[in-house]
Amino acid sequence: MNYAMRVMMKMTPTCQDITAKISESLDHPVSCPDKIRIRIHLITCSACRRYRDQLVQITNLVSRLSDETGYQLGDEAKEKIKSTLENESSAGAD
Amino acid sequence: MNQIAKRDYSNWVDEYGDALFSYAMLRVRGRELAEDLVQETFLAALRGIENFKGESSLKTWLIGILRRKIVDHYRRSAKFVGPDSEELNEELRPVDHFHNEGDAAGHWIAGEGPADWSELPGTELEQSELQRMIGLCIAALPGRLAALFTRKEVDEADSEEICKEFEISTSNLWVMLHRARARLRQCLERYMTGKM
């Protein structure tokens, strides 16, 4: 690889860099040069374009996610907690 | 002891136990730990019932207590996580497939990049089913990543607050959120492909 190409490779962000920057751009406004780097990369890289679209899709899904994910405390665990509370409350009453 | 609280607290477990447990299961790993945190939450609520002003619902108040218990758990465990720990190694394990060396270093390995989701069998899935899957995928994340990610994207807390709670730097937060998203993307893709 000649010098000019090595410099080019250094200047051009990799998909690995870009995926990290795409994620960051969801958390805070990225710098202007970064914004331009991402935009230029996405023009030529369909894999990273998909990556971006999918992260956005995930963010949308998650923001509507309810915390009621359907996990259930078993009866045993419930009884255990109740009796702990009972002990605590009678100790507190004395 | 507040008489109302005394009469009601055993109903708390029936009424709010599952909701609190679900909240914990998304954010910490292991039923036992989640159960312990729920129990600690109820205990703290019982002791501090006079702090409940009725400005929010009882459930919101309980969730707030649990949220702080979860943060405490990670702050405590952060002090014991060594550089070689299993948890840390799992958090750091790369999931995306990039070339490690050569001219293409850092670029997607052909055929191992993100799939076209519109061509996967899972694309027909309903929104509610996708949401159920994303819940399962979050529950499969390493605990700390799940806790940070849900704090950011489900609770929609701002970054500064999260960093303060978890005692991490903002750049650290961004890196961990990136890891969480990369894993969630891969996990969802596997579901959609029918590989899980």
Side-chain angles (χ1 to χ4, degrees):
Chain A
M1 212 187 311
N2 67 33
Y3 180 74
M5 264 185 74
R6 272 209 297 273
V7 170
M8 274 292 285
M9 288 296 277
K10 274 233 160 77
M11 306 261 299
T12 329
T14 63
C15 301
Q16 200 164 9
D17 302 328
I18 291 294
T19 53
K21 284 288 168 201
I22 288 170
S23 169
E24 258 189 53
S25 72
L26 298 173
D27 296 320
H28 70 109
V30 294
S31 71
C32 248
D34 276 344
K35 220 178 271 176
I36 295 167
R37 276 188 207 111
I38 295 175
R39 210 170 284 174
I40 292 177
H41 184 95
L42 291 186
I43 292 173
T44 54
C45 181
S46 62
C48 285
R49 273 205 305 276
R50 262 182 209 165
Y51 193 91
R52 179 202 53 193
D53 294 347
Q54 292 169 358
L55 286 202
V56 170
Q57 203 175 331
I58 287 170
T59 306
N60 290 336
L61 272 177
V62 170
S63 69
R64 288 193 303 273
L65 188 74
S66 142
D67 272 312
E68 318 270 325
T69 37
Y71 289 100
Q72 291 182 331
L73 274 172
D75 288 340
E76 205 179 314
K78 277 188 183 159
E79 289 313 313
K80 190 181 140 239
I81 294 174
K82 280 182 194 171
S83 74
T84 311
L85 289 178
E86 197 149 338
N87 290 339
E88 173 71 17
S89 105
S90 49
D94 292 339
Chain B
M1 169 70 51
N2 184 324
Q3 284 306 309
I4 300 169
K6 205 169 178 182
R7 203 174 57 236
D8 287 351
Y9 70 79
S10 69
N11 295 337
W12 289 359
V13 181
D14 291 323
E15 200 156 333
Y16 306 112
D18 289 338
L20 293 179
F21 185 60
S22 289
Y23 187 92
M25 283 297 280
L26 269 197
R27 292 160 172 83
V28 298
R29 292 300 80 98
R31 286 189 77 91
E32 208 177 319
L33 176 56
E35 284 174 12
D36 284 350
L37 290 168
V38 170
Q39 171 162 307
E40 279 181 40
T41 300
F42 282 125
L43 274 175
L46 187 64
R47 287 171 192 150
I49 188 65
E50 61 275 7
N51 298 327
F52 175 61
K53 304 277 189 259
E55 285 157 359
S56 53
S57 69
L58 185 57
K59 185 176 154 196
T60 307
W61 184 64
L62 290 170
I63 293 273
I65 299 174
L66 175 58
R67 177 168 62 72
R68 288 189 293 275
K69 298 266 170 220
I70 292 171
V71 168
D72 284 345
H73 160 74
Y74 284 109
R75 280 217 291 238
R76 264 198 316 270
S77 67
K79 300 200 169 75
F80 301 103
V81 173
D84 255 341
S85 77
E86 211 174 295
E87 285 141 277
L88 197 63
N89 286 337
E90 181 52 27
E91 274 183 25
L92 294 172
R93 187 175 56 81
V95 290
D96 287 328
H97 299 104
F98 301 111
H99 288 284
N100 281 328
E101 49 196 0
D103 291 352
H107 292 275
W108 295 104
I109 295 171
E112 305 215 11
D116 181 353
W117 285 2
S118 67
E119 287 176 3
L120 299 181
T123 193
E124 305 280 312
L125 291 170
E126 293 193 16
Q127 202 75 356
S128 60
E129 177 61 10
L130 282 174
Q131 260 166 0
R132 198 183 65 83
M133 282 179 178
I134 200 88
L136 292 173
C137 289
I138 293 173
L141 287 173
R144 211 155 57 110
L145 296 187
L148 289 169
F149 180 80
T150 47
R151 196 81 192 93
K152 178 76 177 47
E153 302 287 21
V154 181
D155 307 345
E156 296 180 347
D158 71 53
S159 301
E160 220 172 293
E161 193 185 339
I162 303 173
C163 291
K164 229 183 263 170
E165 286 175 353
F166 286 83
E167 295 175 337
I168 55 174
S169 68
T170 44
S171 55
N172 205 338
L173 174 66
W174 295 334
V175 169
M176 291 205 272
L177 289 173
H178 167 50
R179 289 188 191 131
R181 292 187 180 108
R183 279 159 187 271
L184 290 177
R185 198 206 64 75
Q186 191 194 51
C187 176
L188 205 56
E189 187 165 298
R190 284 193 179 153
Y191 269 123
M192 293 173 93
T193 323
K195 281 187 193 158
M196 285 172 92

